[in-house]
Amino acid sequence: MTPIRVLTGITTSGTPHLGNYVGAIRPALATSRQPGIESFYFLADYHALIKVQEPARVQRSTLEIAATWLACGLDPSKVWFYRQSDLPETNELTWLLTCVAGKGILNRAHAYKAAVDRNRAEGQDDDYAVTAGLFMYPVLMAADILLFNAHKVPVGRDQIQHIEMARDFGQRFNHLYGGPAGTEYFTLPEAVIEEHVATLPGLDGRKMSKSYDNTIPLFAPRATLKKLIFSIVTDSRAPGEAKDADNSNVFQLYQAFATADETAAMRNAFADGIAWGEAKQQLFERIDAEIAPLREQYEALIAKPAYIEQLLRDGAARLRAQYATPLLLRLREAVGLRDLGKQVATAKTVSTQASLPVFKQYREADGKFYFKLVDGDRVLLQSVGHESARTAGQLIGRLKQEGGAALQQAETVAVKLGEELIGHLHEGVELAEIVEALAQFAVEDA
Ligand code: TRP
């Protein structure tokens, strides 16, 4: 049985905090220990350059994040652990994908759109201070994923759109350059949303996040950890007054580290009016009990940067040999970056294959307006005649938008959209092929 490949990227733009630990690191390492899984963890340092243009911070963050994952139990002899920029294939694949990625799709990426919206709100030019790096972010991320044909990518909700884009670019590439089913170049990845892992509140009660500056660094020294925990915002209920566990940041943090029994006991203590100082003290002890041994590991690792450097380089070297280099050889061949000494006899068939399905509109001698859906050399669908070019065009618009879901096959080769007869299947064509061809448009306009 081939293992399920699970891939996780971490942007090297900050210092890991408790929210990262509970929401990403701890569950990811738990998953990696399950049987039948091949895990890929990498430091997304190319991505970091989009946000952080301070070299020392990129370097420091890369070291801290690498040391954090190792300290938390990542075993580089059992999982792939590497740095994005150690794989030149990432860049090469980014370009190949750039050339199939729809610009219109990238226009709709949340991060880019948010930047444009902010500029509009401030009366600036749409693309003011937007780099092409931010715009291309999803293509680089797709390359990370498709380079290893990952099946599953655990992500937060904000990243789902990026996985959908990776699927789209991979699918387009497969469609343009791939052979029959089963010989595609790319596996289409799925986003995995961890529903049951907690989102931790930060010091101010909003989600713990470096963008809110409300984080508790995972490996803050014990004294700092204590100070930060005691600075968590609470309400002003006095000792002895019953406290609302469900609306308390202190309780939520406690729950993320405690067993079910400990949590139940803390819930009772809240109802009994535990003082905030006492609750925070218990929270501090509970977190420190879990973190202290890891912190010790972390400090030992941080003191050995050359060792970590070697580990990462070694991971990348093995990965390149096993996956990345052979894949890029195939992809270069696929797109036509080829050895000129080896002439390919099938140049013609390749060029006809290399086309997306298109609608062709034309007028017949009967004065009516028609269209065909054509995929390469093959006519898939032949429309009925329309009185005007506009109605024909509107129908094409609907087919592109709605996709094949509403299509039905009526008497033998007739095709209906809802109740309306719109055309017929060309000889030897099955409705499923039309549905699949329409999916290409639907993805484009999603
Ligand atoms: N964009 C991800 C984040 O900000 C990091 C990332 C880069 C990533 N490449 C990836 C995550 C590939 C998963 C797969 O969190």
Side-chain angles (χ1 to χ4, degrees), residues 48-77:
L49 302 185
I50 295 168
K51 272 191 282 188
V52 183
Q53 293 176 332
E54 294 162 59
R57 219 176 112 203
V58 174
Q59 182 189 25
R60 180 71 196 172
S61 172
T62 306
L63 175 64
E64 287 179 353
I65 293 175
T68 297
W69 283 79
L70 292 166
C72 291
L74 181 144
D75 179 350
S77 70

Side-chain angles (χ1 to χ4, degrees), residues 151-171:
H151 298 101
K152 307 224 176 235
V153 186
V155 286
R157 297 203 167 277
D158 59 322
Q159 298 285 320
I160 298 178
Q161 190 194 36
H162 291 147
I163 311 299
E164 283 167 0
M165 290 187 182
R167 293 175 64 88
D168 181 59
F169 306 152
Q171 195 169 28

Side-chain angles (χ1 to χ4, degrees), residues 7 9 11 42 44 47 137 141 144-145 153 159:
L7 180 134
T11 308
F42 71 96
H47 276 101
Y137 187 114
M141 181 157 161
D144 294 332
I145 298 169
V153 186
Q159 298 285 320

Side-chain angles (χ1 to χ4, degrees), residues 25-146:
I25 303 172
R26 203 170 56 180
L29 290 174
T31 307
S32 78
R33 292 187 195 103
Q34 288 171 14
I37 290 189
E38 183 177 9
S39 298
F40 297 75
Y41 297 99
F42 71 96
L43 305 159
D45 55 349
Y46 282 144
H47 276 101
L49 302 185
I50 295 168
K51 272 191 282 188
V52 183
Q53 293 176 332
E54 294 162 59
R57 219 176 112 203
V58 174
Q59 182 189 25
R60 180 71 196 172
S61 172
T62 306
L63 175 64
E64 287 179 353
I65 293 175
T68 297
W69 283 79
L70 292 166
C72 291
L74 181 144
D75 179 350
S77 70
K78 299 223 170 69
V79 305
W80 295 109
F81 189 48
Y82 57 103
R83 175 171 47 193
Q84 189 182 31
S85 66
D86 283 338
L87 293 159
E89 290 82 1
T90 304
N91 263 324
E92 194 169 3
L93 180 53
T94 298
W95 183 251
L96 300 186
L97 295 174
T98 299
C99 294
V100 300
K103 177 172 177 289
I105 293 186
L106 295 174
N107 287 339
R108 286 189 286 270
H110 299 318
Y112 171 69
K113 251 174 63 183
V116 170
D117 289 347
R118 232 175 320 172
N119 281 336
R120 288 190 185 163
E122 288 164 11
Q124 293 282 8
D125 195 62
D126 273 8
D127 284 329
Y128 173 74
V130 173
T131 65
L134 176 69
F135 188 70
M136 295 297 295
Y137 187 114
V139 187
L140 177 58
M141 181 157 161
D144 294 332
I145 298 169
L146 298 176

